Amino acid sequence: MLLWLAQNFQQDFSFLRVFNFITFRAVFATLTALLIGLVAGPAVIRMLTLLKVGQAVRTDGPQTHLVKSGTPTMGGVLILIGIGIATLLWADLSNRFVWIVLIVTLGFGTIGWVDDYRKVVYKDPNGMRSREKYLWQSLIGLVAAFYLAFSVSEVSNMKVLDLFFAWVQSGFNLDLSPKADLIVPFFKTVSYPLGVWGFIALTYFVIVGTSNAVNLTDGLDGLAIMPTVLVGGALGLFAYLTGSANYAKYLLIPHIPGAGELLIFCGAMAGAGLAFLWYNAYPAQVFMGDVGALALGGALGTIAVIVRQEIVLFIMGGIFVVETLSVMIQVAYFKFTKKRYGVGKRILLMAPLHHHYEQKGWKETQVVVRFWIITMMLVLFGLSTLKLR
């Protein structure tokens, strides 16, 4: 919005040309989201407290968590408000990638909000049933995947539509641009053509999988939000470089026209996330809830697909990956041993992984900070793929 206003008046006020620079708008999107979160935080927490949307704590979990019972949840709305307002103010609203990321983020946030609302208002411990939640996640993920399959190969929505019709007329057997290939990090020329169906399948897996992975990680005060900020910031850098023809050519990465504008969204996500951390740091005054975790995970997955860095996301979001695998392995091993021996056994003391370390005697703050440090190292390793080829 502000970019449009500045472009209309920059002939009379030359200093408004600074709005044309993505980096300038990204900085102010970050500050705007941060300020909104810090200012609106107390009011949102009071509102959630009045609505009695308190978090229910597992009685079979770490006993230190019992004191958290009743802490307001659904605080992810604070993050979404900051991201939404900052992005709408500072981003180029004619950019198609900005809108698809916003739609996915708000779509997954809506699913999380319904899930949280049923849990804390209707006192339904199951919230939204797994099948129902997965159905809506799949619907949003598939719609985004179909659009991005053609969008990353073209420069405008009209050309995207033309490419889609060409695919249909070809009998659904049309090769996509090399930009849509799966890129293998640390190699200059190694990539794998996916085709339309392969691209859709991968994109669906990345978006839905990342959304659920962040949700599983969100179990301790500040644990999920800081890795989200770090990974989101790194993806913002990838987006900026991918959107620049010169940088993309120099770094041997695909040039996706328009992708650079996602730096604005990533900046807003970082600012909103840091503002939320102000209130979510131990001891937390508010919890993110599914409304925030599902939305942020969906956003990270969508951005990674657009900038063609799905494997790098897997690296940088290693904490999310390990947390998810810990749950999958724990559940699978329990079911296997119960079927074979009649008694279910566990590999970990408790899943997800962060609870395992708590049960081993680590303090909550130790687990959180150490997972942050690991994420910092993984993000730096992921960024190194830009030049180490």
Side-chain angles (χ1 to χ4, degrees):
M1 183 184 297
L2 293 179
L3 175 63
W4 177 80
L5 289 173
Q7 289 175 338
N8 279 277
F9 290 101
Q10 64 184 220
Q11 290 184 344
D12 299 320
F13 304 97
S14 59
F15 68 89
L16 293 177
R17 292 190 178 93
V18 72
F19 280 80
N20 294 326
F21 293 96
I22 293 177
T23 48
F24 170 82
R25 289 184 284 116
V27 169
F28 277 89
T30 305
L31 295 175
T32 299
L34 178 62
L35 184 62
I36 290 172
L38 292 177
V39 172
V44 171
I45 294 173
R46 283 195 301 270
M47 180 189 69
L48 294 174
T49 302
L50 290 173
L51 293 174
K52 297 181 180 180
V53 287
Q55 176 70 37
V57 178
R58 294 170 57 178
T59 56
D60 61 337
Q63 296 302 299
T64 55
H65 287 207
L66 295 178
V67 297
K68 299 182 180 184
S69 180
T71 301
T73 188
M74 298 176 70
V77 297
L78 181 63
I79 302 174
L80 297 184
I81 290 171
I83 291 175
I85 293 176
T87 301
L88 292 175
L89 281 176
W90 295 100
D92 178 3
L93 299 184
S94 66
N95 185 284
R96 65 193 192 280
F97 292 129
V98 169
W99 283 109
I100 190 63
V101 174
L102 275 175
I103 290 171
V104 170
T105 303
L106 296 179
F108 276 88
T110 301
I111 296 171
W113 185 86
V114 173
D115 189 28
D116 287 334
Y117 193 82
R118 290 182 183 178
K119 288 177 181 176
V120 299
V121 176
Y122 293 145
K123 307 302 180 183
D124 183 353
N126 295 318
M128 184 182 287
R129 297 300 185 268
S130 298
R131 290 184 179 180
E132 183 184 0
K133 183 191 295 186
Y134 187 67
L135 172 64
W136 288 109
Q137 286 180 310
S138 297
L139 180 62
I140 297 172
L142 286 173
V143 169
F146 265 98
Y147 176 74
L148 292 177
F150 305 100
S151 185
V152 297
S153 300
E154 294 295 348
V155 296
S156 69
N157 281 330
M158 288 303 299
K159 290 186 176 296
V160 168
L161 198 58
D162 291 340
L163 182 60
F164 173 76
F165 285 128
W167 174 63
V168 174
Q169 293 170 358
S170 69
F172 307 103
N173 191 30
L174 182 69
D175 292 331
L176 293 174
S177 164
K179 296 178 183 179
D181 292 353
L182 176 63
I183 298 174
V184 179
F186 301 112
F187 294 92
K188 291 182 179 180
T189 57
V190 177
S191 61
Y192 293 98
L194 296 170
V196 175
W197 293 115
F199 186 99
I200 290 171
L202 176 65
T203 300
Y204 167 81
F205 173 79
V206 171
I207 294 176
V208 176
T210 307
S211 176
N212 287 307
V214 174
N215 194 32
L216 288 172
T217 305
D218 182 35
L220 301 179
D221 297 352
L223 178 60
I225 190 61
M226 193 59 183
T228 299
V229 169
L230 292 170
V231 175
L235 287 175
L237 178 59
F238 275 102
Y240 178 70
L241 298 173
T242 301
S244 168
N246 293 331
Y247 285 130
K249 181 179 180 181
Y250 172 70
L251 295 170
L252 301 175
I253 57 178
H255 171 49
I256 311 292
E261 200 66 25
L262 290 177
L263 179 61
I264 312 298
F265 181 94
C266 291
M269 182 163 57
L274 290 174
F276 178 76
L277 181 60
W278 184 271
Y279 302 104
N280 185 237
Y282 182 86
Q285 296 174 253
V286 64
F287 296 138
M288 187 188 306
D290 287 5
V291 61
L294 291 179
L296 293 174
L300 292 178
T302 307
I303 296 169
V305 169
I306 294 172
V307 300
R308 312 306 308 124
Q309 299 296 334
E310 297 92 343
I311 296 179
V312 172
L313 172 64
F314 185 86
I315 295 171
M316 296 193 299
I319 289 297
F320 302 139
V321 174
V322 171
E323 291 271 44
T324 304
L325 289 176
S326 71
V327 174
M328 295 172 64
I329 293 172
Q330 183 88 325
V331 172
Y333 186 72
F334 184 86
K335 289 182 177 180
F336 171 76
T337 52
K338 186 174 183 179
K339 183 178 180 180
R340 183 160 186 175
Y341 304 109
V343 178
K345 299 180 181 179
R346 294 174 174 85
I347 296 177
L348 302 174
L349 296 177
M350 187 177 179
L353 186 64
H354 54 262
H355 288 320
H356 169 76
Y357 285 111
E358 279 192 293
Q359 298 286 41
K360 290 189 67 175
W362 288 22
K363 293 182 179 179
E364 180 173 347
T365 50
Q366 286 180 307
V367 178
V368 171
V369 173
R370 287 171 180 174
F371 278 34
W372 286 1
I373 293 171
I374 293 171
T375 300
M376 291 177 192
M377 293 188 294
L378 292 174
V379 167
L380 291 174
F381 185 63
L383 289 173
S384 71
T385 63
L386 286 167
K387 194 57 182 172
L388 297 179
R389 292 173 179 268

